[in-house]
Amino acid sequence: MRIAYLFGSLTRGGTETLMLDVFRHAPEHGLDAIGVYRKTGEYEQDFLNSGIPMFKLTPGDGKLNYLLSLRKLLLNNQVDIVHAQQPIDAFYAFFACLGTKIKVMLTLHGYDFNDNKASKFILKYIISRTDRNIFVSKSQLDFYVKRFKLNPVKQRVVYNGISFSKIKDVFDKKAIDELQGEQNIKKELNLSPDTLLLSSVGNFIPVRDQMTLCRFANLLKKQGVDFQLLLIGKRLDFVASQYDDCVSYCRENDLLNHISFLGMRTDVPQILAQSDAFLYATDYDTFGIAVAEAMATGIPVFVNDWEVMSEITVHGKYATLYKTKDERDLVKKFMLFLKHKNDYISKAQLAQQFVRETYNIESHISNLMQQYEF
């Protein structure tokens, strides 16, 4: 059984990172796959080096020619199932596969809250016409089933998976010792060895809420805590105000000595392993790979009580939940962490074990392959 995975662009995002890990581990699980993408991106060469055949098809010559080219590619490669990662690609695949026995599946990685009219139309049209839809959390599945009155039989949950081989273990002394040279983030930023290092990972896009973390930092500064908050993630031109507003707030409140905007980094695992805690704020994430990776590192995690974050942390058993958009509640719970660090570290150790057993890439691929059995 051969699966064709359809992508928009191969940018460095959560979906692409997940699928790159799937491609790298596909052979050992007997997953016969090809990849088809419309646009390039930072991850293009990584996908080309993954060992999975990749094909670039662009709709530039017209949608009809694209559909015909896609149909020909799928048939020539004897594809049994097309698995799209975006509604638009499932939409294309649906028409390209008409009259064939090829089944079409779609993974919904997000919500439709900020979609334009065209995107909403495409989603509404295709979501009830696919052979199966995959959701990355139960709360997300429940939302879509209710919103579009979907047949529950055709809907499935497959939690995201993480390749833990790339995650540094904060409790692995040897791994930490390896970070004392050029990779030491405190030395890079000229911080005191005693400075409390806090980190957060995520591009500055509408799904996230870095402003709450900036307001938290302002309150923490007033408590006299010596800390540095690292905001890891890039500024995107189409939503530039999300990044710019945070920078302006920090400048106005004299926080730039306490907050570092690091942009895109390739050494996130090393930074997390050196951090004392991980902070996260979301408006409507569907899973939270960054949160799971931080938990897998073994550091205490603080995340707002958005429904899916409660789900993946087992209602706060494996992370500290604070009230959404309430920086005062976050400060209150963070100060408890400073007073009882050993308790929070013990909780982090349990979280690390739970995450590595539950959200590993091997389980993800195994669960995914089960969905290809019709």
Side-chain angles (χ1 to χ4, degrees):
M1 180 169 50
R2 176 164 290 177
I3 315 299
Y5 292 92
L6 266 56
F7 302 92
S9 62
L10 299 181
T11 56
R12 189 186 294 272
T15 299
E16 294 77 19
T17 299
L18 168 66
M19 292 310 303
L20 181 57
D21 284 338
V22 169
F23 276 27
R24 286 170 170 167
H25 289 80
E28 64 198 67
H29 292 272
L31 176 58
D32 185 6
I34 65 171
V36 184
Y37 61 106
R38 291 181 281 114
K39 301 176 184 177
T40 185
E42 301 97 330
Y43 268 160
E44 182 176 32
Q45 195 58 50
D46 294 282
F47 272 95
L48 293 174
N49 293 338
S50 69
I52 300 299
M54 297 294 297
F55 302 88
K56 185 178 181 181
L57 284 181
T58 61
D61 295 331
K63 296 297 190 292
L64 180 58
N65 285 337
Y66 174 75
L67 294 179
L68 293 174
S69 297
L70 179 59
R71 181 186 182 91
K72 182 178 179 180
L73 187 154
L74 297 174
L75 292 173
N76 286 347
N77 284 273
Q78 299 180 317
V79 169
D80 299 290
I81 297 173
V82 173
H83 190 167
Q85 304 303 306
Q86 296 181 25
I88 181 62
D89 290 304
F91 185 80
Y92 288 147
F94 175 77
F95 289 104
C97 294
L98 284 175
T100 73
K101 295 182 179 180
I102 301 173
K103 295 187 180 297
V104 177
M105 292 175 56
L106 168 65
T107 290
L108 277 297
H109 292 278
Y111 290 100
D112 64 338
F113 298 145
N114 286 315
D115 287 356
N116 56 36
K117 288 184 178 180
S119 296
K120 286 181 181 292
F121 169 80
I122 289 170
L123 174 60
K124 184 176 181 180
Y125 182 89
I126 196 59
I127 197 170
S128 60
R129 290 173 169 82
T130 51
D131 294 287
R132 184 161 290 167
N133 294 311
I134 305 294
F135 301 89
V136 300
S137 63
K138 186 179 183 300
S139 56
Q140 185 202 25
L141 180 148
D142 292 342
F143 169 85
Y144 276 103
V145 167
K146 182 178 180 181
R147 182 175 180 82
F148 294 101
K149 297 179 173 57
L150 301 176
N151 178 2
V153 175
K154 295 171 63 177
Q155 322 308 319
R156 299 285 195 278
V157 172
V158 177
Y159 287 115
N160 287 335
I162 299 166
S163 179
F164 292 119
S165 60
K166 64 186 178 184
I167 303 295
K168 294 292 183 181
D169 186 338
V170 73
F171 301 111
D172 184 343
K173 189 177 186 305
K174 181 179 178 182
I176 297 301
D177 288 343
E178 292 174 354
L179 303 175
Q180 299 307 307
E182 295 179 357
Q183 294 177 316
N184 189 304
I185 191 67
K186 286 187 177 180
K187 289 184 178 179
E188 177 185 330
L189 300 176
N190 294 317
L191 302 176
S192 164
D194 297 326
T195 298
L196 198 67
L197 198 62
L198 313 178
S199 59
S200 186
V201 178
N203 291 333
F204 286 76
I205 55 177
V207 69
R208 300 198 177 89
D209 177 27
Q210 287 95 339
M211 183 59 82
T212 291
L213 301 184
C214 293
R215 293 197 299 265
F216 156 81
N218 195 30
L219 294 177
L220 196 62
K221 184 186 73 169
K222 294 177 180 178
Q223 294 282 345
V225 177
D226 177 18
F227 73 96
Q228 191 74 15
L229 172 59
L230 312 180
L231 295 181
I232 305 168
K234 62 183 176 181
R235 174 187 184 274
L236 298 167
D237 289 339
F238 75 98
V239 284
S241 62
Q242 185 144 344
Y243 177 94
D244 296 342
D245 288 349
C246 286
V247 173
S248 295
Y249 176 88
C250 293
R251 184 178 295 112
E252 292 167 3
N253 289 277
D254 194 25
L255 287 169
L256 292 179
N257 288 330
H258 288 283
I259 296 182
S260 297
F261 293 84
L262 297 185
M264 181 62 68
R265 300 281 298 216
T266 59
D267 58 344
V268 172
Q270 289 86 349
I271 293 175
L272 290 180
Q274 297 171 77
S275 300
D276 295 286
F278 180 84
L279 309 178
Y280 199 78
T282 179
D283 282 335
Y284 50 89
D285 265 294
T286 53
F287 179 79
I289 288 179
V291 173
E293 288 184 343
M295 292 165 67
T297 303
I299 58 176
V301 170
F302 297 78
V303 61
N304 60 305
D305 59 0
W306 167 243
E307 187 175 5
V308 75
M309 294 306 172
S310 178
E311 180 180 341
I312 70 171
T313 64
V314 192
H315 310 295
K317 180 178 180 180
Y318 296 113
T320 300
L321 300 179
Y322 65 91
K323 296 176 183 177
T324 296
K325 294 190 178 300
D326 190 341
E327 62 274 12
R328 294 186 181 279
D329 188 50
L330 175 54
V331 167
K332 178 181 177 182
K333 290 175 177 175
F334 190 83
M335 296 305 291
L336 287 174
F337 155 67
L338 294 183
K339 292 180 181 178
H340 307 284
K341 276 189 178 182
N342 288 338
D343 292 340
Y344 282 78
I345 290 173
S346 296
K347 182 176 181 177
Q349 289 176 308
L350 294 175
Q352 182 183 46
Q353 181 179 352
F354 166 76
V355 167
R356 288 178 180 253
E357 292 175 353
T358 308
Y359 302 129
N360 59 75
I361 193 66
E362 292 79 14
S363 294
H364 173 81
I365 295 175
S366 177
N367 293 333
L368 202 58
M369 292 180 70
Q370 292 178 27
Q371 309 312 318
Y372 298 143
E373 302 293 337
F374 284 89

